[in-house]
Amino acid sequence: MSELKTLYGWMEKYKFKFIRSLFNTIAAIILTTIVPLVTSTVIDYVLKTDIYSENTVTKSQSTIISKIILSFDTSKDQLLAAGIFIIILTLLAARANYLKGKLSAQVAEGTAKSIKDKIYDHVQRLSFSYHNKVETGDLLQRCSTDIETIRQFTQVQILEIFYAVSVFIVVFVIMLMLNPFFALVGVILIPILIVYSYVFFQKVKKAYLIKDEAEATLSTSLQETLTGVRVVKAYANQEYEIKKFAEKNANFKAAHFKEVMVSAKFWATSDFICISQVLLVVLFGSFLSYKGSITLGMFQTFLSYEFMMIWPVRQLGRVITEAGRTIISIRRILEVFDETQEFELKDESLKQKPKILGNISFKNVSIEYSDEEPVLRNISFEVKKGQTVAIIGKTGSGKTSLMNALLRLIEYKEGSITIDGTELNTIDKTWLRSHIGVVMQEIFLYSKSIKDNIRIANRTVSDEIVYDVAKIASVHDVILDFEEGYDTSVGERGVTLSGGQKQRIGIARALINKHPILIFDDSLSAVDTETDLKIRAALTERAKEITTFIIAHRMSTVKDADLIIVLDEGKILQIGTHEELFNVDGLYRNFWDIQNKKEEDFINLITVGKEENIDGK
């Protein structure tokens, strides 16, 4: 019931339309149940079947419907009245069914849209750690297939449940009024069908959960393969991916087949129960009719009511199947909603919006992911506004985690981080991130034009500003060489661009706003040394008042930094300027020796060549 209450809460905006659809359902049922009474009157009196006693016929006519029809004088008029009555009832019932379907569709579509909007909004605000642990395919499954299951249940199955229960009550009451004993015979097997449906409901829930999880795994595999198709082709890994997909597909098939088998057993058994119930009505009604206890019209009425009642009740099995699936889907969506948003803070003291200039201090900061080993241990350093800080270290040493802590993508529990004297974990996250420009290690580009991708951070800037930041990122001339220039579509995830071009567009995107703090997370790794030099020179000219963090492996990129931090296994191993670190034995000196100064010699050669050209001019 808690899941259904949750669903009703999601339908809150459309509850009046939903109630109207229920009223139209009841109206359609009442109108439909009157038709057999009209038919019974025609058979028993208008057609004047004479195999019954006058007393029996009179009993069958003691309804308001029969009195209205028989108020006409001639049989012809009575038949005409009955026909018109049936036509009017049928048209009104059709109108009620139309309104029921229209209203339920509006409720279902509106509810589905509302859930999608809410879950998308919620997912956007979830923490970095959540997105690290969740599988994309599984999340897509919850946001698409599970919501579609809820939509179908809201539009169809809820009304079918209401219809089945309502038609049973209405028809059974009418049957009791006509012949109590025969009415009891007409429902004798229905309790067995209901109990069996409940047992089936418990089984189908488990089967559907297994199938849904198998489908989510399959979706994840498909999404990963399609996203990484270039890697698959580059390593000629098609056969392995085909085999891996076939295994997951086989698991999904088996889970789906098990669910189908559970349903098949129910349908076979429920059909047998329903047919047996109808057979009981036919046999018992024939016996009563033969004895003269009921009229032929009443027998026909009971048979019509039996079909009207038994098949909706039988359909409860299918509805219960969908209900089981819907409950699982609601639970899976609630699991997402139960995840705490990273912006959910009621304490206003933790939503400060101080002026951010770029003075940053780390004091004895330690950070860990969940219950794992700390990724950063006792980190301490200070950065003044306008300084450039380079961070180097082996893979997995904690470089990116250090910047994630500054962005509050991960939280620190030990130590202190301050920006311009304000404790970092008391600053509003949206405010904080709006003052930090980031060029990620992996540049993600949308399937839009180059201009639109650069403008992602600020869609209102002029074309001139877009061109300026592209020049700083040393990508302006490259873009102009494209046939459509800045209007060139980059394709899905920037597939039409090289790695270096994507990185430079990412740099331009980060520079579109004048942030007091910039972070470059190994974002120059895919550009050549000469382009690296150009970009850094342009950034130095622009970023005199900007605090800049550069994560890099290329020593020439970091050597001119005001402060160089060398990380190893989450700890600061060395800290200082290039001259200070170069003149002592340590990891920094080892990195420099490995690169063997070739890069520096090449840069000097380029610089000397440029100076000679300038002098020559």
Side-chain angles (χ1 to χ4, degrees):
M1 291 302 296
S2 62
E3 287 82 6
L4 296 180
K5 287 180 181 178
T6 299
L7 178 57
Y8 182 75
W10 290 337
M11 295 166 56
E12 179 71 20
K13 185 178 177 181
Y14 308 94
K15 64 180 180 180
F16 292 112
K17 286 187 176 182
F18 179 67
I19 293 171
R20 285 171 59 195
S21 70
L22 296 182
F23 276 120
N24 277 281
T25 302
I26 294 174
I29 291 171
I30 294 173
L31 292 167
T32 305
T33 54
I34 295 174
V35 174
L37 297 176
V38 177
T39 307
S40 174
T41 299
V42 172
I43 292 173
D44 287 343
Y45 187 80
V46 179
L47 297 180
K48 297 181 180 179
T49 52
D50 58 355
I51 61 173
Y52 306 104
S53 68
E54 187 67 25
N55 183 47
T56 303
V57 175
T58 302
K59 288 182 179 178
S60 72
Q61 296 163 358
S62 58
T63 62
I64 297 175
I65 302 301
S66 61
K67 290 176 181 179
I68 294 173
I69 294 173
L70 297 178
S71 64
F72 293 90
D73 296 329
T74 65
S75 297
K76 182 179 179 180
D77 290 340
Q78 291 168 355
L79 281 173
L80 182 61
I84 294 173
F85 219 142
I86 291 173
I87 291 172
I88 293 173
L89 290 171
T90 303
L91 290 175
L92 291 174
R95 174 65 177 173
N97 279 317
Y98 165 75
L99 291 175
K100 174 194 74 174
K102 178 183 177 180
L103 291 167
S104 65
Q106 290 175 345
V107 171
E109 296 298 336
T111 301
K113 179 183 181 299
S114 177
I115 297 172
K116 287 179 181 178
D117 288 342
K118 287 179 181 178
I119 197 169
Y120 186 80
D121 181 88
H122 187 77
V123 167
Q124 290 292 316
R125 301 173 192 278
L126 290 178
S127 65
F128 180 72
S129 60
Y130 173 80
H131 288 287
N132 265 349
K133 69 183 180 182
V134 72
E135 291 183 343
T136 303
D138 181 63
L139 192 56
L140 288 173
Q141 180 84 359
R142 296 171 194 251
C143 295
S144 56
T145 303
D146 286 328
I147 293 179
E148 177 61 18
T149 299
I150 294 171
R151 186 197 66 79
Q152 291 180 353
F153 180 77
T154 305
Q155 180 174 346
V156 181
Q157 278 75 46
I158 290 181
L159 288 182
E160 286 196 11
I161 293 173
F162 183 76
Y163 177 81
V165 174
S166 299
V167 79
F168 177 83
I169 294 172
V170 172
V171 170
F172 186 57
V173 169
I174 295 175
M175 291 170 71
L176 284 173
M177 293 170 62
L178 293 175
N179 191 311
F181 185 67
F182 198 7
L184 294 175
V185 173
V187 298
I188 193 170
L189 296 181
I190 288 181
I192 298 175
L193 181 62
I194 294 174
V195 171
Y196 182 70
S197 296
Y198 177 77
V199 173
F200 165 71
F201 170 70
Q202 299 300 325
K203 291 183 178 180
V204 80
K205 274 200 307 182
K206 295 178 182 178
Y208 178 75
L209 177 60
I210 295 171
K211 188 215 77 170
D212 206 32
E213 290 175 345
E215 187 177 2
T217 303
L218 183 68
S219 298
T220 299
S221 176
L222 183 62
Q223 186 265 340
E224 287 177 347
T225 303
L226 294 178
T227 302
V229 65
R230 289 190 296 172
V231 176
V232 174
K233 289 184 176 296
Y235 288 93
N237 220 17
Q238 291 92 334
E239 293 300 324
Y240 171 78
E241 294 297 335
I242 290 170
K243 183 179 179 181
K244 184 178 74 173
F245 181 81
E247 289 176 355
K248 296 184 186 301
N249 200 15
N251 291 336
F252 171 68
K253 173 192 171 185
H256 195 188
F257 183 74
K258 184 176 181 180
E259 184 196 16
V260 170
M261 288 303 296
V262 172
S263 298
K265 290 177 182 178
F266 170 79
W267 291 125
T269 306
S270 63
D271 280 349
F272 177 77
I273 296 173
C274 290
I275 292 171
S276 299
Q277 178 64 76
V278 173
L279 182 61
L280 279 175
V281 171
V282 171
L283 293 176
F284 197 75
S286 299
F287 175 76
L288 292 179
S289 181
Y290 176 74
K291 291 291 187 181
S293 300
I294 62 172
T295 65
L296 183 60
M298 184 180 290
F299 179 33
Q300 178 273 334
T301 301
F302 264 80
L303 195 57
S304 297
Y305 283 155
E306 189 64 37
F307 280 106
M308 196 180 294
M309 177 176 59
I310 192 70
W311 295 114
V313 173
R314 183 259 191 185
Q315 284 295 99
L316 278 176
R318 182 178 65 80
V319 175
I320 285 174
T321 301
E322 297 302 325
R325 293 172 178 171
T326 303
I327 287 172
I328 296 300
S329 294
I330 291 173
R331 287 176 183 172
R332 283 168 53 81
I333 291 172
L334 286 176
E335 286 176 3
V336 179
F337 282 130
D338 287 342
E339 294 288 338
T340 303
Q341 294 182 5
E342 66 172 336
F343 300 105
E344 280 184 2
L345 291 173
K346 295 182 180 179
D347 189 348
E348 292 299 323
S349 65
L350 302 179
K351 295 182 180 180
Q352 296 188 55
K353 296 180 179 181
K355 185 174 182 180
I356 295 178
L357 301 174
N359 299 293
I360 299 168
S361 173
F362 278 66
K363 293 182 180 178
N364 303 318
V365 176
S366 295
I367 294 175
E368 62 183 29
Y369 291 108
S370 300
D371 296 326
E372 301 175 4
E373 287 291 318
V375 292
L376 295 173
R377 299 181 180 88
N378 200 32
I379 301 296
S380 297
F381 64 89
E382 289 191 7
V383 182
K384 299 297 182 183
K385 171 187 172 183
Q387 286 188 325
T388 297
V389 180
I391 304 172
I392 65 171
K394 299 176 183 177
T395 301
S397 59
K399 303 184 295 295
T400 299
S401 295
L402 186 61
M403 294 299 95
N404 286 342
L406 184 59
L407 286 162
R408 290 192 67 189
L409 293 175
I410 54 176
E411 298 289 355
Y412 60 98
K413 296 180 180 179
E414 296 182 20
S416 171
I417 304 175
T418 60
I419 295 183
D420 297 299
T422 303
E423 191 66 33
L424 185 68
N425 57 19
T426 66
I427 300 176
D428 181 82
K429 287 185 178 181
T430 302
W431 177 259
L432 171 69
R433 293 170 191 171
S434 68
H435 287 77
I436 302 177
V438 185
V439 186
M440 297 290 188
Q441 190 171 0
E442 295 181 9
I443 303 297
F444 182 90
L445 298 181
Y446 294 89
S447 300
K448 300 174 181 283
S449 67
I450 293 175
K451 185 187 296 182
D452 288 337
N453 269 284
I454 295 176
R455 276 179 170 161
I456 287 294
N458 188 344
R459 294 176 175 84
T460 61
V461 297
S462 64
D463 290 348
E464 286 70 24
I465 294 177
V466 173
Y467 302 151
D468 288 342
V469 295
K471 289 174 183 176
I472 295 173
S474 195
V475 73
H476 177 71
D477 293 336
V478 175
I479 296 172
L480 293 181
D481 286 339
F482 294 140
E483 186 175 346
E484 296 181 44
Y486 278 85
D487 293 322
T488 301
S489 176
V490 302
E492 186 176 8
R493 302 173 71 90
V495 69
T496 61
L497 303 176
S498 69
Q501 290 168 346
K502 286 195 287 187
Q503 282 193 336
R504 282 179 275 174
I505 289 174
I507 293 171
R509 182 164 63 191
L511 297 175
I512 203 78
N513 292 318
K514 294 183 178 180
H515 299 293
I517 302 171
L518 284 176
I519 297 175
F520 296 90
D521 188 355
D522 202 18
S523 51
L524 296 170
S525 59
V527 301
D528 58 82
T529 305
E530 183 178 2
T531 304
D532 181 4
L533 180 63
K534 290 180 181 178
I535 294 172
R536 285 191 288 114
L539 287 173
T540 301
E541 182 65 26
R542 172 190 169 100
K544 292 178 180 179
E545 300 296 317
I546 298 174
T547 304
T548 305
F549 290 86
I550 300 175
I551 298 175
H553 293 93
R554 186 180 290 164
M555 301 307 294
S556 60
T557 302
V558 306
K559 77 180 187 67
D560 294 326
D562 299 303
L563 184 68
I564 299 173
I565 298 173
V566 183
L567 290 178
D568 187 43
E569 296 183 355
K571 295 183 290 186
I572 294 181
L573 201 62
Q574 293 177 285
I575 186 168
T577 63
H578 168 73
E579 289 75 15
E580 291 171 348
L581 299 180
F582 181 77
N583 291 321
V584 297
D585 290 333
L587 192 58
Y588 181 84
R589 179 66 177 271
N590 292 339
F591 284 153
W592 186 269
D593 290 340
I594 289 172
Q595 295 193 15
N596 203 25
K597 299 185 181 179
K598 288 183 179 180
E599 213 168 86
E600 184 182 38
D601 294 339
F602 180 67
I603 292 172
N604 289 334
L605 181 63
I606 294 173
T607 305
V608 171
K610 285 185 176 179
E611 290 174 352
E612 290 176 352
N613 288 336
I614 293 171
D615 293 339
K617 289 182 180 179

